[in-house]
Amino acid sequence: AFMYNALIRGFSNSETPQNSISTFSLMLNNLGLQIDSFTLAFSLKSASNIPCFRTGTQLHCQALVRGLDTHIFVGTTLISMYAECGRVEFARNMFDEIPNPNIVTWNALLTAFFRRGDAEGAERVFSLMPAKSLTSYNLMLGGYAKLGEFDLATKVFDEMPMKDEISWSTMILGLAQHGCSDKAIRYFRRLHEASLRPNEVSLTGVLSACAQAGALEFAKILHGFIEKVGLIWNTPVNNALMDTYSKCGSVDMARLVFQRMPGKKSIVSWTTLIAGLAMQGYGEEGLSLFHEMEKSGLRPD
RNA sequence: GCAGUCACUAGCGGU
């Protein structure tokens, strides 16, 4: 069972979480292996990642008959699963079933309220929490930022007892996604001045801000930084860099980044460059790149 | 008998 649990867990974070569910039913129906709390937690995570409410409910039943539904890990994953499947009421009822919720369980409930954009519900949960972790603050920050409530987000950011790289990248990304590119760049500078190392997510955020603002010079500085710290191996960062160069009108640099990408090119890498070429009037080159992509074995989405 | 799986938060492309 240990081995199968590892398999299910591996699939749950893959592109094809359905494989976890197949493995689960293989274990249960064909091999007659014992299902434990790990099996259920990992399988439920797959149900969230698909997401599939039906599968999630069936797994809930399997947990129920074994008395594992209120197991702290399984119960917490059930809350997340219902939230991901858009059933916040189910998530909430599940929370009430768990006898000794811990911080992670409370955080899962917070996430559930923000999933449907219910900031007031989340605030109630936050105020009821017997203890809060950094993740709890990051959740409030991210929830407000996603809703564009930057006064509230800034208040959380300024008042939280500590900050980690997630706090910073959440803020930068939230600002960038709401078109506040100047502020996003300002937070990125603050992060850098605080001698904290910007991570890959802050970089995609600030790059997207540069793309909006047409800040080509700053993008070049960021490019240098990315090479220096070795983030050139990170595909999403490279993709964001290409997109920024394209949108700033420097499709030559975008092409160069693409050609020199050391890491694996994803479907997004190709699409970003093709769109950039098309946008700048290099339609033919874009088309031939499209055919090259098909030859390389990737299928367009 | 013991140990081993560890649940909640942020990211890129017509979006």
Side-chain angles (χ1 to χ4, degrees):
Chain A
F2 174 92
M3 228 177 65
Y4 282 89
N5 285 347
L7 205 58
I8 291 176
R9 176 175 168 240
F11 285 134
S12 74
N13 295 314
S14 73
E15 305 292 305
T16 52
Q18 297 87 345
N19 287 339
S20 301
I21 309 303
S22 323
T23 310
F24 181 92
S25 59
L26 186 74
M27 265 180 95
L28 186 67
N29 301 325
N30 303 47
L31 303 171
L33 290 171
Q34 203 55 243
I35 305 297
D36 63 14
S37 60
F38 290 101
T39 321
L40 285 161
F42 299 145
S43 304
L44 279 163
K45 197 173 187 169
S46 299
S48 319
N49 288 342
I50 296 177
C52 177
F53 176 65
R54 232 182 102 71
T55 304
T57 311
Q58 283 169 350
L59 290 167
H60 190 170
C61 294
Q62 293 293 342
L64 266 168
V65 288
R66 291 169 177 76
L68 286 171
D69 58 315
T70 57
H71 178 286
I72 191 79
F73 277 37
V74 177
T76 304
T77 319
L78 276 165
I79 294 173
S80 307
M81 183 277 293
Y82 283 125
E84 291 305 318
C85 296
R87 313 295 159 106
V88 179
E89 283 312 311
F90 283 62
R92 194 195 182 138
N93 292 336
M94 192 57 228
F95 180 86
D96 294 331
E97 300 288 320
I98 300 176
N100 294 309
N102 62 16
I103 296 189
V104 178
T105 314
W106 280 95
N107 287 343
L109 186 65
L110 251 187
T111 307
F113 278 93
F114 274 125
R115 274 289 121 84
R116 71 168 175 201
D118 183 357
E120 285 183 9
E123 279 160 15
R124 271 198 306 278
V125 173
F126 192 69
S127 66
L128 286 171
M129 289 178 75
K132 298 170 174 74
S133 64
L134 183 51
T135 298
S136 320
Y137 287 94
N138 284 339
L139 279 166
M140 293 304 289
L141 182 63
Y144 286 139
K146 193 158 283 172
L147 293 169
E149 299 279 2
F150 285 108
D151 290 343
L152 292 167
T154 307
K155 192 164 147 54
V156 174
F157 188 82
D158 291 339
E159 291 175 1
M160 59 201 288
M162 33 187 356
K163 306 181 213 322
D164 63 0
E165 51 181 31
I166 294 185
S167 323
W168 284 94
S169 45
T170 301
M171 199 67 187
I172 292 168
L173 204 77
L175 288 164
Q177 283 171 346
H178 280 85
C180 310
S181 36
D182 291 355
K183 279 187 183 164
I185 292 172
R186 212 173 305 149
Y187 268 91
F188 183 84
R189 287 214 160 100
R190 271 180 65 189
L191 163 66
H192 200 225
E193 281 157 14
S195 51
L196 296 164
R197 181 183 170 279
N199 71 359
E200 55 273 31
V201 182
S202 323
L203 272 159
T204 54
V206 76
L207 281 167
S208 132
C210 288
Q212 290 167 38
L216 180 60
E217 291 312 310
F218 192 53
K220 286 181 181 165
I221 295 174
L222 292 170
H223 188 174
F225 176 82
I226 289 166
E227 302 241 0
K228 200 177 81 183
V229 300
L231 279 174
I232 200 76
W233 286 93
N234 184 296
T235 304
V237 169
N238 263 294
N239 296 345
L241 185 61
M242 273 193 293
D243 186 48
T244 306
Y245 274 131
S246 300
K247 290 195 172 139
C248 292
S250 184
V251 75
D252 292 344
M253 283 304 292
R255 184 164 37 215
L256 196 68
V257 171
F258 182 84
Q259 285 163 353
R260 299 203 331 205
M261 261 181 84
K264 206 167 146 264
K265 291 180 180 66
S266 68
I267 180 80
V268 179
S269 318
W270 290 89
T271 316
T272 303
L273 186 58
I274 292 170
L277 287 166
M279 208 177 357
Q280 307 291 338
Y282 298 86
E284 273 182 37
E285 192 186 341
L287 208 58
S288 71
L289 198 64
F290 181 81
H291 291 127
E292 211 180 304
M293 175 180 81
E294 286 183 318
K295 267 191 285 178
S296 82
L298 278 172
R299 58 188 179 107
D301 63 359

